[in-house]
Structures are given as C-alpha cells and as structure tokens.
Amino acid sequence: MPDRVIRGHYGLLLLIFVLSGFAGLVYQSIWTRYLGLFLGHAAYAQSLVLALFMGGMAAGAGIVARRGIRWRNLIRGYAIVEAVIGLFGLIFHMVFVTALGLSYEVIMPALGEPWLVSTWKWLLAAGLILPQTILLGMTFPMMSGGLIRRWPDRDGDALGGLYFTNSIGAAIGVLVATFLLLPRFGMPGAMLAAGLLNLLVASLAWWLSRGKETPRVTENAPGDARSGVGRRLLYLVLGATFLSSAASFAYEIVFVRMLSLAVGSSLHAFELMLASFIAGIALGALWIRRRADSTDSPLRLVGVLQILMGLAALLALALYSTSFAWVGFLMDALARSDGGYTLFNLGTAAISIIVMIPTAFFAGTTLPLFTVALLRDGQGEASIGRVYAFNTLGAIVGVFAAVHFLIPALGVKLALIVAAMLDIGIGVWVLRWLAVERRALIGVGVAVAVMIGSMWLAVNAVPFDPLRLSSGVYRTGTERLPESAELLFYRDGKTASVAVVSTPDGIVRISTNGKPDASLQFRHEGRPTADEPTMIMAGALPFAYLGSVESAAVVGFGSGMTTHTMLASPLLESLDTIEIEKRMVEGAEWFGDRVERAYEDSRSNIIIDDAKSYFSGQQKKYDAIVSEPSNPWVSGIGALFSQEFYRFVPRFLKDGGIFVQWLQLYEINDNLVGSVLNAMLPEFEDVHGYLTNYGDLLLVASHRPLTDNPDFDSLVNGDFREDLGYINIDAGSQLEFRQVADKRLLEAFARLYDYPVNSDYFPVLSLEAPRTRFRGMQPEQIVRMPHMDVPVLEWLGVRQPPSLDVKLPTVSHFPADSSANDARALARALAMDDYAPLEEVGEDLRNWVTGLGGASAMCTQRPEVFAGVWLADRLLVLTELTVPYLPADGLQGVLIDPEWLDCEALPEGIEDALALIEAYASRDVEAMEERGRRWLQNIDESRPDYLSRFDQVAFAAVQFSLIGQERYDEAGDLEDEFGSDVKARGDYGFTRSLVLAWLKGME
C-alpha cells in the first residue's frame, strides 16, 4: 500500500478511538451498576468494583508492555481485542443473570459461612468483568504502539491525540448512556449497544491495519547495566505517574462529593459531573498533543503542569464556595417544568465544568508527557504499557484513599487539599530531579514556598460553612440555612455528608447531602413532625399483624425512631438495623432519649453495610423486615424499590412474615408510584397500604393473606402506647382509619397508571424521579384517596368510617382525620343545633354551616332567594363533606330526615335528590340502586340545570350498590349504559376510572 494512503489513515485511527472510549465508559458505568446489584452499593463495594475494573486495565497494559514488542501488527491485534470485547458485551447480561440466579439459589445457601459467601461474591465479580477489563487495558497501549510505529516522528501527537479522543468519547459515552441508552433500552440494551460498537470499531481497525509496522527498538533498556540513568528515570516517571493518577482520581471522588451538596446526588447530577471531569481530561490531552513533541524537556513541562494542577484544585475550592448561590439562582429563575429541568441540568453541568475542568485539564496532560519522556530516552514502546499500567494502579489507590481514609478522616475540603499538595509535591520532586543549576534550585524553592502558602490560604481563606453545605439548595433554592439554625453535628462519611440541625421551633433534623431524611419534635407543646407518624407506624404495624415478633430487621437507620419503636416490644429478641453510612448512626445520637433504645438496648444490632449484601451473606430469616430508604430520586436508592429487590426480600422472611415498605409520596408522581406498585405487587400474596400523613405511604406485604382485622388495639393499649401517644394516636380505630388500600385496590391503581416496572435492569425511578423532584410533583390521586368527596374506600372494602364514639386526633398530619372531625362538627350543628364544636373548625366552614342552618327560615321568609341552584349546591357540598367520613347513624338529621331543612315547598327535583342522597347516606344498597337508576334514566335537557349536579352522585350510588351486592359485571356495564350521559369530573371522574380498573381485576 502506498505510504501516502497509510498516512491518510492516521486521522481515521484517532477517530475510531473516540468510539472505543465511548464504549469503554458505557461498560464501566453499566458494569458498576450490574455488580452493585450483587455486591451492594456500600462504599467499599463500589471501591472494589472500581478496583477490579482498574486492576484488569493495569494487567492488560502490563501484558502489552511485556509482549507487545513481539507482535508484528499492533493495529490488527487491537482490532482482535476490540472484537472479543464486543462479543463479551453481547452476552454479558445473559451470563450475569444466570450467575446471579445460581449464586442466590444454589451456591450461597450451600456455602453457609458468611466469609465463604463473601469470598464467592468477590470471585464471581472478578470473573464476570476481569477478562473484559484486561482486554480494555490492552487497547490504549496497542493503539498507541501501532501509531508510533507507523508515524515515529509524532510520539506526543499520537499519545495526546489518543488520550484526547478516548477521553472525549468517554465523556460522550457517559451522557449518552444515562440520557439515551438507559431510558430507552435499559442496562441490557446499553451493554448490547456497546458490544455492537466494539465490533464496528474492530471492523474499521482491521481494515485500517493494512500496511507495515516497524517496532520501536529499545535503545536504553532500564534493566541494562549500562543505563543506570535510564533506570532511575523509569522509576521517577512510574512513581510520579502512580502518585499523579492517585491524586487525579481522588479529585474526581472529592469533586463529586462536594458538588453533590450543591447540585444534588441524583443519577443525572452524578453523570453530568463525571462527564465534566472526563471532558476536562480530554481538553488537557488535546492541548498537550502538539506541545509534547515540540518541548525540549517533557519532564520539566510535566513538573510545572503538576504544580499548576495542584493550584487549580485549590482554586476550585474558591469557585465551589460560590456554586450554592449559582444553584439557588437557577432554582429561583427556572420554571418547574420539563424544559426547566433540562435547563437546570445544563446549568448544573456548567457549574461542574467551572469547578472541575481547570484541575481535570492539567490531569489530562500528564500521561502523554510522562510516556514521551521515556520514549525520548530510548526505552521503547514498552514504556507506553508501563506508564498506562502505573497510571491505572494509581487510580485504584486514589479511589480507596479518598473513599476510605481521606474523606471520612479529614472531610472533603482537607481531602482535596491533601491531593493538591501531593500534585504540587510531585511537580517539585520532578523539577528537583532535573535541577542542576542554581537558578533551577531557586525555582524549586519558590515552588515549595508556593506549596506551603497555597495550602495555608486554602485552609484558612476558603471557609466551608456547614449551614451552606447542609442547605439542600438543589431542592429548596435556599443557599444557606438561617442563622437561627443550630448545627449540632456535621461529618463527611464514605457515602454522604451528614448534618444534624436544630431550629427554634424545637425540631431537630438529620440530613444526607442536604436532603432531610428524618425530623423529630422536641418541644412537648409542639406539633409532631410529619416524619414521626411514619417512623413510629412503620415499627408498630408488624406487631398488629403478627402479634408476636421475635426477630426483625430495619433497612436504613434514619433517626433511629423505627428501631427504637420496635424495641418497645419485650417479645422481640433481636433487631438488626442495616445502615450504609456510619456517620448517619453517629449523627442520630443527637436525638437522645427519643431513640435511646436503638443504641442502648442489648437486642439492637446496628450493621454498617448494604442491605442486600448483609442479607445474602447472613442467610438469616426474620419475622418482619422494614425498609425505609431515602427518596427514590437519590442515586442508587431506586434499587430498593425494584422488582428484583421485592423478589429478593421474601427469601429472608419466615413463613408468614411481614415486609413493610416506606414509599415517599412527594417529589414523585402517580406514574412512578404505579411503577413501584407494578414491581412490588406481583411478588407478594397480599399487600395493604397506609397513609401516615399527607405524603408518606407504608405498604405492608406478606406471602400469606393478611388479616383484614389487624389488632391495632393491642398496640395502643400495650407496649407501643407511649410511642403512639407522641403522634396523638390512642385508639386502634385511628390506625385502622389510615388504611387506604388493600391489594386489589393497589393493583387497580397500578393498572390505572400502567407505567413500566421499576427494575434493576430498567431503572425507571433513578432516571425519572430526579425530574419529578425538580418539578415538586406529588401523586395527587393516591394522596387524596382517604379524603375524597366519594366514599370509594368504604365501598371497595378497604375501611369503614370511624365510629362516632372514637375520638380522632385533633393535631394530625393525616388530612382525613381533620376532614372527619369537621364532618362531625358540621353534623352536630345541623342535627342537634349544637354549634360549639364548630369553634374547632376553620372560619370558612363555620360560616358556611351557619348559613346552611338558616335554610328553613330563608325558605319561608324569602322564597324568591331560596332557588334550586342555592339549595342544590349546598346539598351536594354537604354530601361530599359528610358521607365519606360518617357512618349512617352519624348522618341522621343531616342527610337522613334532615332537621335543618323544613320547607313546605322545594324547588323542582330537589325532593328526588334528597331521596337519592338519603339512600346514599343510609348505605341502603337496594334503595341506592332503585333511586339512582331512576335518576339516571330521567336525565334530559328539559330539567333544570342545577339538577345535573347530582348525576355523578346517582352514578356512584348505583355502581357502589352493585359492588356491595357483588354484582360486579353489572357494575362494570354501568359505564356503557349511562357513562356517556354523566360527565366525569373531579373526584367522581377519578373514582369511575379507578373502579373500572378495580372491576377488571375481579374478572
């Protein structure tokens, strides 16, 4: 082949390395997700996954360093390696799923001993990705060696160009994987796409491999006795490469942790930060591409750049301190819409770029320069593999040091400063090695002075204000907590930064990365926080269903309140609480005696680990497991709401055991709730749902049918009396009233919102919940179900209105309690002419009821005012305010033989409306059907318009009566019979859709 044709291939070879880098980062991202499902998402697990990845890369580079010189055509060898990687990518999902199933079902139970189980997990993890990572590690030195063989006068250009193209491809791969491949094709599809891309790269590389390669002869072998200087240079370069890479990867870890406090810790935020850092590396490689060949001393240049990299990292601290104001501006300026979320992502990406790119830029210059230094010394193309291998090994050390030592021991700020000092120290060390003149020594001294001065400035001049770091500005738009807030605790842990803050209203909150995870009220006269009913009920409900619970587990420590509540039972013999972040447990100690049993009770066992790892390793079975993870939008949390998790958990429940799932109903929408329900419901025989406040749902599940009558009285009259008293619950029927669904109704809801199942392999929550968080969305329908205008929960058999002799909480976060208390006060005023209870309700309702009480007088004295419209409106509202919350005996004198309405003559049709509503209020199924059908059959245009208000009531009355008589087919046919005549609006419209979905499940 003519030489000019071969030279034309130079740009094409660089181009296909973009595709290789793209596929490589897709693999790294998706492999980490796959192995995280098996190993768990604890910090040590993530670190070891990265160690397997980087270790394999180092081994691959080492193989090329040792044997590459013997291969006659490195580009062709590269093509073969890419093809094999692609084939592994095509079959990875199938192999992983098979291996996972065998491990959980056969191998791990047979091994028994926890240390054997752990050993097996790590061996399998290594076996799944090490072959591919070794091959990936071979690609850079093979392509680099092939290029410098064919273009021997362009070492720096080739190395810098390849590092740039590989890195820019990697940055694009991160974004495409997260925002395109995962949402559309899931993890299996992303792996398949990467595998196909590797095969394409292999085909192109094979086609471009034609032509002759001339191996670079080693002129100054470091192992040769004649080249002592060469050996020392090799040690210097490899040592500096190792330490520089360690510092660079520490930067990446620390930057992500720092920026998570400002821009959030969602999957989207994490991937944008990662892409920004890699893009900075790519730009550095691009800049050094031309300069590496033209510089007279690559080592001197890299020494200066190392010092500049350290200084850039320190500058990043100052830039970072302003990022909270930038995010606050974005939150204030952007609309809470899908378009606003796109702009928010672009804005936070820009913030990440500003903070990280200067440091990452210099990090991208070092590897090409270190390699060129050895090549110029005549140490041959093996230098490429050696430098790449040590660069990779340094990355492993940097990640481990940052995650397990620097951040937990020093905090993120000092961790970054230590990494910066390491880089500056490397630069000084390299320059000192080169310094043979007095002027050069003076320069080294100046560098040392700069190192000391910059460290002092970074520590003292750039404060990290914990009240700003804990603000959660990415959720609230507030860049700093108020001065009145008292910081009780702040620590950087391995996985998150944990803060405990007290506010003047007596509330103490614990947060991770600025997101509050639990709060308690410490003033006796103060109102309990919204979190307290959820945490206390989560701990108490299993005992109502099981009576006796001997062993239990809680996933997620939070405030420790759930653990504390469960330990109130003397029958509980052991309780394991599994928490991923040690600092969370340390911070929650500030809740004091409110959670003291969690810390002081000998039965309490707090484990710092990932829940799936701990459960699978221990193989222990429990009577009850309570899962209370953070919000689904937090990166990694979606796996605790996945179909695979709900298949996994029952393996660790005893026969008939109870599983309780806490699902946050805020910063999420109905579709995503449906996604979780579609994942959970098929995996359990029975599920009940309880709303604990206005935004939290507890799902109680079992592989056996759940009792329809849990013993709530035993809770309020027994061991849990004191804890339930904190949330104003002193009667079992109060807990019963908070049930909002059984399994049939939950299935209907999930059917109504037929959204894709949240799965480990198709992570719907992780991908969509960050958007609903930004928009501040709430699943309106499921939250409204307990206090709808229509008594749908009663007629679908979920719950009954509470008896009138049951006192409901007056200070409650459960809206239906307030609605029921209002209904009781309203009924008492109208039926018994007792207006005293109205003093406890809102002024608007009080005035409305007072006006209604004068209806009879108005009817007699001013009949021209007392028209059908006025009475129809009030009668309908009265029905909606009372029927869902009062039993039939509570409606006597209100809607049944109404005492407040004494008129000789009623407007047209109102008498029929009263008869319909009376049957509806009496729960008389035969009368409801008869009067409702008569009403629906008489719908025509000639009647007064105000009567159309009762069409929906008539439809609901007939449908509910048929359901009450178990005539389900007829209830479903009612939509075809009368649906087109009755407009579906508001709660009535949603109820009709829900009932149809419920009836479909009865087929």
Side-chain angles (χ1 to χ4, degrees):
M1 180 180 292
D3 186 64
R4 59 181 177 82
V5 176
I6 295 177
R7 290 182 180 275
H9 293 166
Y10 182 82
L12 290 175
L13 288 170
L14 291 178
L15 180 62
I16 67 171
F17 215 51
V18 174
L19 302 180
S20 179
F22 178 101
L25 248 291
V26 172
Y27 284 133
Q28 181 178 344
S29 175
I30 304 301
W31 280 338
T32 300
R33 297 181 193 283
Y34 270 107
L35 295 187
L37 300 174
F38 185 47
L39 301 173
H41 292 280
Y44 73 86
Q46 293 174 337
S47 302
L48 286 173
V49 169
L50 185 58
L52 290 172
F53 185 88
M54 303 306 291
M57 297 273 285
I63 291 172
V64 177
R66 287 179 174 272
R67 303 188 178 183
I69 192 67
R70 305 175 189 174
W71 298 335
R72 299 177 60 183
N73 192 323
L74 288 176
I75 301 297
R76 185 165 295 166
Y78 166 80
I80 295 171
V81 167
E82 287 281 359
V84 177
I85 294 171
L87 294 175
F88 273 121
L90 297 182
I91 65 172
F92 182 84
H93 178 75
M94 179 184 65
V95 172
F96 178 84
V97 171
T98 302
L100 202 67
L102 287 173
S103 296
Y104 282 138
E105 296 171 13
V106 179
I107 299 173
M108 291 167 67
L111 292 173
E113 292 292 331
W115 69 271
L116 288 175
V117 170
S118 297
T119 301
W120 166 253
K121 289 195 303 181
W122 296 117
L123 287 175
L124 179 60
L128 285 169
I129 69 168
L130 265 181
Q132 299 97 298
T133 57
I134 291 172
L135 293 170
L136 280 171
M138 297 172 67
T139 57
F140 183 84
M142 290 183 77
M143 178 64 88
S144 301
L147 287 181
I148 66 171
R149 283 182 179 184
R150 296 171 183 237
W151 293 273
D153 56 338
R154 302 173 69 175
D155 292 351
D157 182 82
L159 292 167
L162 287 174
Y163 203 37
F164 163 72
T165 55
N166 193 251
S167 297
I168 202 67
I172 297 171
V174 169
L175 298 177
V176 172
T178 302
F179 291 96
L180 181 62
L181 295 179
L182 273 176
R184 294 195 178 187
F185 308 112
M187 288 161 56
M191 289 294 293
L192 184 64
L196 293 174
L197 193 58
N198 281 128
L199 294 178
L200 174 63
V201 168
S203 301
L204 293 172
W206 185 273
W207 176 67
L208 295 170
S209 66
R210 292 171 295 173
K212 183 180 179 182
E213 289 183 0
T214 304
R216 182 73 65 89
V217 178
T218 302
E219 302 170 357
N220 188 16
D224 194 324
R226 295 170 297 171
S227 59
V229 175
R231 191 183 309 112
R232 290 194 297 274
L233 176 63
L234 176 67
Y235 295 158
L236 170 72
V237 168
L238 296 184
T241 300
F242 176 88
L243 294 175
S244 178
S245 177
S248 297
F249 271 78
Y251 290 144
E252 181 180 336
I253 297 294
V254 175
F255 278 143
V256 168
R257 284 291 304 277
M258 287 167 49
L259 285 165
S260 293
L261 300 172
V263 305
S265 51
S266 67
L267 171 64
H268 292 164
F270 174 79
E271 300 296 354
L272 285 169
M273 288 184 278
L274 181 60
S276 299
F277 193 84
I278 297 174
I281 291 175
L283 292 176
L286 180 64
W287 181 83
I288 203 64
R289 179 181 175 188
R290 302 296 184 191
R291 291 162 178 81
D293 289 324
S294 60
T295 181
D296 59 344
S297 175
L299 276 184
R300 182 180 297 111
L301 179 57
V302 79
V304 172
L305 292 175
Q306 284 286 161
I307 293 173
L308 292 176
M309 177 160 45
L311 294 175
L314 298 178
L315 174 64
L317 290 174
L319 296 173
Y320 170 71
S321 65
T322 65
S323 63
F324 291 83
W326 298 338
V327 175
F329 169 77
L330 290 174
M331 293 294 291
D332 290 339
L334 297 175
R336 296 298 187 267
S337 62
D338 287 343
Y341 182 65
T342 300
L343 292 175
F344 178 79
N345 279 331
L346 292 174
T348 54
I351 293 169
S352 300
I353 288 170
I354 291 170
V355 172
M356 292 196 292
I357 270 197
T359 309
F361 174 88
F362 291 111
T365 65
T366 57
L367 185 141
L369 283 173
F370 280 130
T371 308
V372 168
L374 293 181
L375 289 173
R376 284 198 186 178
D377 191 56
Q379 299 197 22
E381 64 188 46
S383 304
I384 302 171
R386 290 192 181 104
V387 172
Y388 195 65
F390 272 78
N391 182 78
T392 309
L393 290 173
I396 298 172
V397 172
V399 169
F400 268 93
V403 171
H404 297 286
F405 175 70
L406 293 177
I407 293 176
L410 305 176
V412 291
K413 178 182 177 181
L414 288 178
L416 185 68
I417 292 173
V418 168
M421 292 304 103
L422 178 60
D423 264 333
I424 295 174
I426 294 168
V428 172
W429 175 33
V430 171
L431 294 177
R432 173 65 185 87
W433 194 85
L434 294 172
V436 293
E437 300 177 0
R438 182 177 178 183
R439 185 170 56 183
L441 289 173
I442 292 173
V444 172
V446 171
V448 172
V450 168
M451 176 178 175
I452 296 172
S454 58
M455 182 173 67
W456 184 89
L457 283 173
V459 172
N460 295 282
V462 186
F464 268 34
D465 181 1
L467 291 179
R468 179 171 283 107
L469 301 178
S470 308
S471 66
V473 61
Y474 55 87
R475 293 178 68 239
T476 65
T478 302
E479 66 172 284
R480 188 180 188 277
L481 296 177
E483 291 292 343
S484 58
E486 180 184 0
L487 186 72
L488 304 177
F489 175 91
Y490 188 91
R491 295 290 187 278
D492 295 313
K494 291 183 179 181
T495 65
S497 298
V498 178
V500 180
V501 176
S502 175
T503 51
D505 56 1
I507 294 176
V508 177
R509 296 178 175 86
I510 189 168
S511 64
T512 55
N513 290 342
K515 189 269 165 189
D517 275 338
S519 60
L520 299 180
Q521 173 62 258
F522 276 82
R523 285 186 179 175
H524 292 295
E525 71 279 9
R527 176 180 176 176
T529 69
D531 291 332
E532 292 180 62
T534 307
M535 296 182 291
I536 292 172
M537 286 181 62
L541 283 176
F543 295 85
Y545 280 89
L546 296 177
S548 174
V549 176
E550 296 180 356
S551 61
V554 177
V555 179
F557 193 80
S559 68
M561 174 63 76
T562 300
T563 298
H564 173 85
T565 300
M566 299 188 81
L567 289 166
S569 171
L571 300 178
L572 184 63
E573 296 177 0
S574 66
L575 176 58
D576 295 339
T577 306
I578 303 102
E579 169 58 49
I580 199 170
E581 178 53 64
K582 182 181 179 181
R583 300 301 191 194
M584 197 75 176
V585 178
E586 295 173 359
E589 286 193 76
W590 283 92
F591 291 111
D593 58 0
R594 293 293 306 277
V595 298
E596 63 181 352
R597 288 192 292 264
Y599 293 94
E600 297 178 4
D601 196 305
S602 61
R603 299 168 296 168
S604 177
N605 182 29
I606 300 173
I607 300 105
I608 306 300
D609 199 352
D610 173 79
K612 291 181 72 173
S613 294
Y614 180 76
F615 285 150
S616 59
Q618 295 298 310
Q619 294 292 312
K620 182 178 178 181
K621 290 187 179 291
Y622 302 92
D623 293 303
I625 297 176
V626 179
S627 178
E628 43 180 22
S630 190
N631 293 61
W633 55 262
V634 178
S635 181
I637 297 299
L640 294 176
F641 296 97
S642 71
Q643 184 178 52
E644 291 78 9
F645 181 70
Y646 295 131
R647 289 175 181 169
F648 173 85
V649 164
R651 300 172 185 170
F652 307 98
L653 286 172
K654 294 179 182 178
D655 190 27
I658 294 291
F659 172 69
V660 178
Q661 174 71 71
W662 177 358
L663 175 60
Q664 295 86 351
L665 297 183
Y666 53 92
E667 299 178 332
I668 195 172
N669 62 16
D670 287 301
N671 285 332
L672 294 184
V673 172
S675 177
V676 174
L677 294 178
N678 282 325
M680 181 180 186
L681 295 177
E683 308 306 327
F684 291 92
E685 176 69 21
D686 205 358
V687 184
H688 288 175
Y690 292 82
L691 271 177
T692 62
N693 52 39
Y694 45 75
D696 286 316
L697 178 68
L698 291 180
L699 297 167
V700 179
S702 177
H703 268 306
R704 284 188 175 184
L706 294 168
T707 176
D708 291 329
N709 298 297
D711 190 3
F712 294 124
D713 289 333
S714 67
L715 302 182
V716 298
N717 297 321
D719 303 318
F720 299 95
R721 182 182 183 89
E722 181 180 356
D723 294 298
L724 291 169
Y726 275 111
I727 54 174
N728 302 298
I729 290 179
D730 54 16
S733 54
Q734 295 171 357
L735 290 170
E736 181 182 351
F737 190 47
R738 298 195 183 203
Q739 184 176 350
V740 297
D742 57 12
K743 188 178 183 184
R744 284 183 299 180
L745 186 54
L746 289 169
E747 287 175 332
F749 187 87
R751 201 174 293 120
L752 194 61
Y753 294 94
D754 187 19
Y755 210 63
V757 171
N758 182 53
S759 165
D760 287 342
Y761 305 119
F762 293 85
V764 174
L765 277 184
S766 296
L767 292 166
E768 294 298 326
R771 186 186 310 275
T772 59
R773 182 214 73 201
F774 174 81
R775 296 188 60 183
M777 301 181 76
Q778 187 175 23
E780 297 178 1
Q781 303 299 351
I782 196 169
V783 171
R784 267 197 58 78
M785 279 204 294
H787 56 103
M788 282 187 175
D789 296 337
V790 191
V792 62
L793 297 182
E794 177 183 351
W795 286 104
L796 297 186
V798 175
R799 72 174 192 197
Q800 297 294 317
S803 174
L804 294 177
D805 58 2
V806 174
K807 183 180 179 181
L808 294 174
T810 56
V811 179
S812 173
H813 300 285
F814 185 55
D817 282 341
S818 300
S819 298
N821 281 324
D822 289 350
R824 290 178 177 187
L826 188 157
R828 194 172 182 87
L830 295 179
M832 303 174 64
D833 204 27
D834 178 6
Y835 287 82
L838 287 178
E839 296 301 319
E840 302 297 327
V841 305
E843 182 178 356
D844 291 342
L845 180 60
R846 185 163 59 247
N847 293 336
W848 186 87
V849 176
T850 303
L852 192 60
S856 297
M858 187 179 294
C859 175
T860 303
Q861 298 170 12
R862 302 184 64 187
E864 72 281 0
V865 177
F866 192 70
V869 173
W870 187 93
L871 183 56
D873 280 342
R874 281 148 184 80
L875 187 57
L876 180 62
V877 172
L878 182 60
T879 301
E880 295 169 349
L881 288 175
T882 57
V883 172
Y885 310 105
L886 300 179
D889 59 347
L891 292 167
Q892 190 69 37
V894 182
L895 296 174
I896 304 169
D897 299 325
E899 298 286 343
W900 54 276
L901 186 61
D902 183 16
C903 294
E904 293 182 3
L906 292 169
E908 181 184 348
I910 292 297
E911 189 170 348
D912 290 337
L914 284 168
L916 169 66
I917 290 171
E918 183 176 42
Y920 188 54
S922 301
R923 279 72 169 181
D924 183 340
V925 293
E926 293 180 358
M928 287 167 62
E929 181 184 3
E930 186 271 326
R931 296 173 188 177
R933 282 190 181 277
R934 188 169 62 210
W935 184 280
L936 295 173
Q937 289 165 356
N938 290 326
I939 293 176
D940 59 58
E941 296 181 358
S942 63
R943 66 177 185 172
D945 289 341
Y946 59 77
L947 292 180
S948 64
R949 291 162 171 76
F950 301 101
D951 293 349
Q952 296 185 105
V953 178
F955 190 96
V958 176
Q959 194 164 56
F960 288 157
S961 73
L962 294 172
I963 290 173
Q965 299 173 69
E966 299 183 1
R967 293 157 58 187
Y968 302 122
D969 290 341
E970 294 178 63
D973 293 340
L974 198 69
E975 194 70 43
D976 294 330
E977 189 176 356
F978 296 109
S980 60
D981 297 325
V982 181
K983 294 181 180 179
R985 291 176 294 193
D987 288 348
Y988 294 93
F990 172 73
T991 297
R992 283 168 62 176
S993 300
L994 184 65
V995 168
L996 284 178
W998 186 87
L999 290 169
K1000 187 174 182 181
M1002 302 297 289
E1003 296 175 355

